[in-house]
Amino acid sequence: NQKFAVDLFAKKNGFHIANREGIAKVSAKVLEGMELTLSVEPGHMLQAACLTDEVKMVPYPPVRPVDILVTTEEIKADFLILLRPKEYAIGMGCKKGKEPEQISNLIKKSLAEAGIREEQVFALASIDRKKKETGFLLWSRKAHVPFLTFSAEQLQETTGDFCGSMFVKEQVGVDNVCERAAIKACGAEGTLIYKKHAEDGMTIAIAKRKW
């Protein structure tokens, strides 16, 4: 019926739905013809994808109950549905055939050290020669995020202050995989927030994109 759909709005704008039961509550108001209120953390550009005239923007933080709240912060507010921007990309490299459990455990450990929740991750990234690495594929499928791969040339062209290794460059054609892959996934304004960590034949780094 060309009405506002909050789950589609979240998907189009790269948001994680923190309380999925809120979808039905928001949809019920839409079907009743009621106006929806939306409050967004300041300092961020919100894409208009899937917004309709049924949605009214209100100041942040909301002083009254709001239907849709978009924020990365932990604030006290009444809302029907909470949307969390997915801001982080995980970059990884590993020796061939690493056990999926080892990869999963390192990701879990690194996210905890960085103070990041899994639902805040929008992608896992690596070099294209790892596009069939079972551990990466299984984790991305479980986390419901895409597994992005880039060529050695694409990674080498990525600008930033990276922890390079001539040995790695001789092996795969680029001096650093994890940091460069994380930044490449985030785009031009990405920031490395968790630098290269190496453990048991695996490397990992985390970058944050601007939303």
Side-chain angles (χ1 to χ4, degrees), residues 89 122 148 150 158-159 180-191 207-210:
F122 73 86
L148 308 177
F150 307 100
T158 303
T159 58
R180 289 180 179 275
I183 287 292
K184 182 67 176 177
C186 286
E189 297 185 85
T191 305
K208 182 179 182 180
R209 69 177 174 182
K210 185 175 181 180

Side-chain angles (χ1 to χ4, degrees), residues 1 18 26 44 51 55 75 101 129 161 177:
N1 295 314
V26 171
H44 303 286
L51 274 180
V55 184
I75 65 169
E101 186 177 2
R129 63 168 57 197
D161 182 18
V177 171

Side-chain angles (χ1 to χ4, degrees), residues 15 18 35-36 40 48 63-64 70 72 87 105 107 117 141 146 151 154 158 162 167 185 203 206 211:
F15 299 143
E35 183 179 67
L36 298 176
V40 182
V63 295
R64 296 184 178 84
V70 181
T72 59
E87 303 176 277
N105 287 342
I107 292 175
R117 296 183 297 274
R141 195 173 302 148
S151 68
Q154 288 176 307
T158 303
F162 303 118
F167 174 77
T203 59
I206 305 172
W211 70 279

Side-chain angles (χ1 to χ4, degrees), residues 73-157:
E73 300 178 327
E74 298 294 337
I75 65 169
K76 291 184 177 180
D78 291 324
F79 51 81
L80 291 185
I81 193 166
L82 173 62
L83 304 181
R84 297 285 195 190
K86 294 186 176 185
E87 303 176 277
Y88 301 95
I90 298 171
M92 286 196 75
C94 73
K95 291 182 178 178
K96 185 178 180 179
K98 295 299 294 185
E99 289 295 327
E101 186 177 2
Q102 292 179 292
I103 289 173
S104 179
N105 287 342
L106 181 57
I107 292 175
K108 183 178 180 180
K109 173 185 173 182
S110 301
L111 289 176
E113 290 177 351
I116 299 168
R117 296 183 297 274
E118 185 178 297
E119 58 265 27
Q120 291 177 286
V121 176
F122 73 86
L124 174 65
S126 189
I127 193 167
D128 57 4
R129 63 168 57 197
K130 291 296 178 182
K131 62 184 178 182
K132 294 184 179 180
E133 191 69 42
T134 302
F136 292 159
L137 293 170
L138 288 177
W139 188 88
S140 63
R141 195 173 302 148
K142 174 180 171 291
H144 303 290
V145 299
F147 175 41
L148 308 177
T149 59
F150 307 100
S151 68
E153 292 75 17
Q154 288 176 307
L155 294 179
Q156 193 64 49
E157 291 171 357

